[in-house]
Amino acid sequence: MKIAVYPGSFDPITNGHVYIARRAAAIFDKVIVSVLLNGQKNSSAFTVEERCEMAREALSGIKNIEIDSFNGLLVDYVRQVNARVIIRGLRAMSDFEYEFQMALMNRQLAPEIETFFIVTDPKYSYVSSSSIREIFSFGGTVQNVVPPDVFKKLLERYQGKSRKS
């Protein structure tokens, strides 16, 4: 069985993430979408549990996708779940430069693990979780770039805060 891990903060999961996950699921027997508990990013809008739940809801129609979370080195986690492939989505050339460096570092740490890049749909090339949170918090429209359940969670999270009506 070919198992791949699609890691990320998914804070929140976007339609671009869903697009990458669907494409990966069409290639691999099992894809584990794994939410990173990242101690370096203290600006998370949602807890790991909330992010996992949003991912479960957004990807519920895809039978060979599992949702999990992890902390620590990605390659250690990939080994732990018996996967041999890391999925990374690319939006722009700037993503490639960063992701290429990370792939080389992971290769140094775990030569048996491959990194598989999937290019997103151009309509999601400008979408990032951090931009979604910022735009939404200032009253911007993000409904067309996040799954419906995520939009509801954003409404709940930012209700009564700086969000404009």
Side-chain angles (χ1 to χ4, degrees), residues 14-108:
T14 69
N15 289 345
H17 294 130
V18 172
Y19 179 85
I20 298 295
R22 283 185 190 282
R23 298 232 355 243
I27 298 166
F28 296 96
D29 298 320
K30 179 163 91 171
V31 175
I32 303 170
V33 174
S34 194
V35 177
L36 171 63
L37 174 59
N38 189 345
Q40 294 179 339
K41 287 187 176 180
N42 293 327
S43 61
S44 295
F46 298 96
T47 67
V48 170
E49 293 79 16
E50 290 171 320
R51 290 181 272 153
C52 286
E53 183 56 32
M54 286 187 283
R56 265 186 215 94
E57 291 168 356
L59 301 167
S60 64
I62 309 169
K63 302 225 181 296
N64 61 330
I65 287 185
E66 293 180 11
I67 310 301
D68 196 10
S69 63
F70 77 103
N71 192 10
L73 283 177
L74 175 59
V75 293
D76 290 342
Y77 174 77
V78 171
R79 286 177 177 142
Q80 177 188 331
V81 297
N82 297 314
R84 293 291 172 256
V85 176
I86 298 168
I87 302 294
R88 298 303 295 163
L90 297 175
R91 296 172 298 177
M93 282 304 293
S94 57
D95 283 349
F96 178 76
E97 292 175 28
Y98 172 78
E99 295 296 346
F100 183 71
Q101 288 177 342
M102 293 306 298
L104 290 176
M105 182 57 73
N106 287 335
R107 187 108 175 124
Q108 179 68 30

Side-chain angles (χ1 to χ4, degrees), residues 149-163:
D149 289 329
V150 171
F151 185 70
K152 289 177 193 171
K153 296 275 192 212
L154 285 165
L155 284 171
E156 292 168 10
R157 178 59 33 106
Y158 289 97
Q159 192 172 27
K161 293 189 180 175
S162 65
R163 177 154 169 80

Side-chain angles (χ1 to χ4, degrees), residues 114-132:
E114 298 293 339
T115 299
F116 194 92
F117 296 109
I118 298 178
V119 177
T120 195
D121 187 304
K123 68 183 172 187
Y124 303 125
S125 63
Y126 63 93
V127 177
S128 70
S129 295
S130 58
S131 67
I132 293 300

